[in-house]
Amino acid sequence: MTLRELLKALHAVDEKNLDVDVMVSPASGGYAGIDHLSVLYVGHAVIHLAEPPKEPPPDLWAGSQEGAVAAVSPDDLRNAWKLFRDTQARNPGECTRIGNSVYQSVCSPGADSVSVWFRASMLWAITQAQPDLLAQWIHDGEFDAAVFEVAATFPMEKMRTGVVREGLPFDVEEFVKQIGTR
């Protein structure tokens, strides 16, 4: 797909899909003809085209077994979530990076900070894709303890670099049901 074809296709986006972040993967991710990473903010006037990185992104799970993301402490997850929220509040509308050492600093000693980050990222993905899905468990702008308790241990698959998938790496419907039973 050329950039011209991509922009032409965006004209067909209907009202209900406006303000949804759309990620267009590089050619290695399964979309032929795209040789760069394009992050399009549909419904906004911004289209950011980034040059391809010199090296492929690191595989966070390199050297580890395939399968499930390790369970983490609900307190570590809550701390990572607070870090997400605080960083977002200090940098509204900006993309920011938080290094692993910062995640390690908000986790308990010996915690698997990559798994904590991953699980916090999955919570963020839900809040972005379906903001109302967890709304009943948000009070005073913060998640109830039940959200962190379930998210800390709920089965999630590791997402590998270069592997294209549809949807999140866990059963969102069952995830919400389990929160509701707490």
Side-chain angles (χ1 to χ4, degrees):
M1 173 182 281
T2 66
L3 180 58
R4 181 182 306 260
E5 292 167 332
L6 177 63
L7 293 174
K8 187 175 178 183
L10 285 176
H11 290 288
V13 174
D14 62 357
E15 287 288 324
K16 71 178 186 169
N17 291 318
L18 291 179
D19 296 328
V20 174
D21 290 355
V22 177
M23 178 71 105
V24 180
S25 297
S28 63
Y31 293 92
I34 298 176
D35 59 358
H36 58 274
L37 182 68
S38 303
V39 180
L40 307 176
Y41 297 99
V42 179
H44 296 83
V46 177
I47 298 178
H48 172 73
L49 301 176
E51 291 299 318
K54 302 293 182 212
E55 299 175 14
D59 186 342
L60 297 176
W61 311 111
S64 69
Q65 298 291 325
E66 292 291 324
V69 176
V72 301
S73 157
D75 291 334
D76 289 343
L77 185 55
R78 182 181 294 105
N79 292 341
W81 181 255
K82 186 176 181 332
L83 178 64
F84 269 28
R85 300 285 299 218
D86 291 349
T87 301
Q88 205 173 38
R90 284 192 308 270
N91 304 286
E94 293 181 30
C95 290
T96 57
R97 291 184 186 190
I98 302 172
N100 189 46
S101 62
V102 178
Y103 283 104
Q104 288 171 339
S105 74
V106 299
C107 291
S108 55
D112 179 349
S113 59
V114 172
S115 293
V116 171
W117 166 83
F118 185 84
R119 288 175 178 278
S121 295
M122 294 301 102
L123 280 176
W124 180 85
I126 291 173
T127 64
Q128 297 303 299
Q130 298 179 341
D132 297 334
L133 194 63
L134 300 176
Q136 64 184 320
W137 296 288
I138 298 174
H139 299 285
D140 297 324
E142 295 298 326
F143 282 128
D144 291 346
V147 174
F148 295 113
E149 290 166 5
V150 173
T153 60
F154 193 81
M156 296 182 182
E157 294 176 40
K158 294 176 181 174
M159 294 177 67
R160 306 305 295 235
T161 301
V163 176
V164 178
R165 64 177 304 120
E166 272 191 42
L168 295 175
F170 61 98
D171 183 340
V172 176
E173 188 175 313
E174 182 61 28
F175 176 75
V176 172
K177 279 184 196 175
Q178 285 192 25
I179 294 170
T181 63
R182 301 257 172 156

